[in-house]
Structure formats: structure tokens, C-alpha cells
Amino acid sequence: MAGLHAPCSSDTNNQFHIGTQPRIGMALPATDYQQLQRHLEECEKSKHPAWSLLTYVLRDKIMMTDPLSNFYACDQVIGGSCVTYSVDRGPEQTGLMAHRARSASGINVIPVASLLGATLIGMTVGHRAPLLLENGSIKSLRVLAVSQPI
């Protein structure tokens, strides 16, 4: 994936936003926030029982997030970013966050409209969160690294 993503530089300002500060404490670029709303609408339309947990996670993420235009945090998981994470302190895993999941040769694609993707979106390096699994169990998810699309 060389050339497709760039790690954050410690020399640069890692957050840029114009407008109001987030009300709740977590912000996402407005485009990612709008995509989350679309994913939620699709889940609600389908009424498929398997999507009830995903619907819950998406609703919670939308409720706890403020959309900001001109927002950028280089250590935040957003659509198109490459994220390295660990589940229950297990081995590092890396994947490409995608709102429209497509398979790619040699790249693990993480659909945002999945329990893993919906949990990861908006998280920052070092952040931990509970990860709901389809069987109803809960594991711990931690973001280890993020590189952004160029």
C-alpha cells in the first residue's frame, strides 16, 4: 500500500477544524458522518435480524459524534484510512476502511457497515472500545496505528 496512505508526521498539527467544537467530544468529517447515516438507513430498511447489532452500533456512533466540515485528525480512523488494530490484545491486524467494501488483492478491506468497521470509525490511535460480535459476545478493540489516504 505504499504511496496510498501516509502516516501522520509529529511535526504537523494533527487536528484542523473550522467552526464549532464538538458538543459531545467526538467529531468526524461531515462526509463520513453522512455515510454513517446512509448505512443506518440501509440497516433500518432491511429489517434483517442479523443487522440489529449493527443498527445499534451505528445509532450510537451517530448520536455520540458531531459532523464537522474542514475537520482532519491524522490519527483518526476515517473512510479510506488504513488502520492497524488489535482485538483482545491479540495479534496486530491491518485493514482498509471502506464505505463501499470491495475486495482488493492483498488488502484486508473493512466495511464501515460492519460491526468492526462501525466500531473503528472515529476512533483514534491508542483508543479502546468494546467490540460487539454477531454472537452477542463483547471483546476489546484497540487502535494501534492509522495512515490516511493521500
Side-chain angles (χ1 to χ4, degrees):
M1 286 186 284
L4 295 176
H5 292 83
C8 295
S9 167
S10 60
D11 298 358
T12 61
N13 180 9
N14 71 352
Q15 291 191 1
F16 174 73
H17 50 86
I18 296 174
T20 61
Q21 292 291 325
R23 292 182 306 261
I24 299 173
M26 187 166 125
L28 268 175
T31 54
D32 280 301
Y33 185 87
Q34 291 164 352
Q35 287 285 7
L36 287 177
Q37 290 178 316
R38 288 185 190 113
H39 296 315
L40 178 60
E41 288 170 10
E42 288 300 314
C43 284
E44 289 174 337
K45 281 181 194 173
S46 93
K47 304 241 187 238
H48 193 279
W51 287 26
S52 61
L53 285 176
L54 179 57
T55 301
Y56 172 80
V57 173
L58 288 169
R59 272 193 197 128
D60 185 64
K61 188 70 67 154
I62 290 167
M63 183 177 68
M64 300 302 289
T65 306
D66 282 324
L68 295 178
S69 56
N70 300 319
F71 176 79
Y72 177 77
C74 71
D75 65 344
Q76 184 179 42
V77 179
I78 60 171
S81 63
C82 185
V83 59
T84 302
Y85 61 95
S86 176
V87 176
D88 276 350
R89 298 182 188 231
E92 291 184 4
Q93 300 178 60
T94 300
L96 178 67
M97 294 291 291
H99 285 288
R100 293 183 182 194
R102 298 181 190 118
S103 62
S105 177
I107 299 173
N108 179 29
V109 175
I110 303 169
V112 174
S114 68
L115 290 172
L116 175 61
T119 304
L120 281 168
I121 193 99
M123 290 178 66
T124 56
V125 174
H127 186 199
R128 290 183 192 270
L131 172 63
L132 294 174
L133 301 179
E134 290 179 15
N135 66 7
S137 65
I138 301 171
K139 296 200 174 198
S140 175
L141 178 66
R142 182 173 180 213
V143 174
L144 305 172
V146 177
S147 57
Q148 301 300 342
I150 296 178

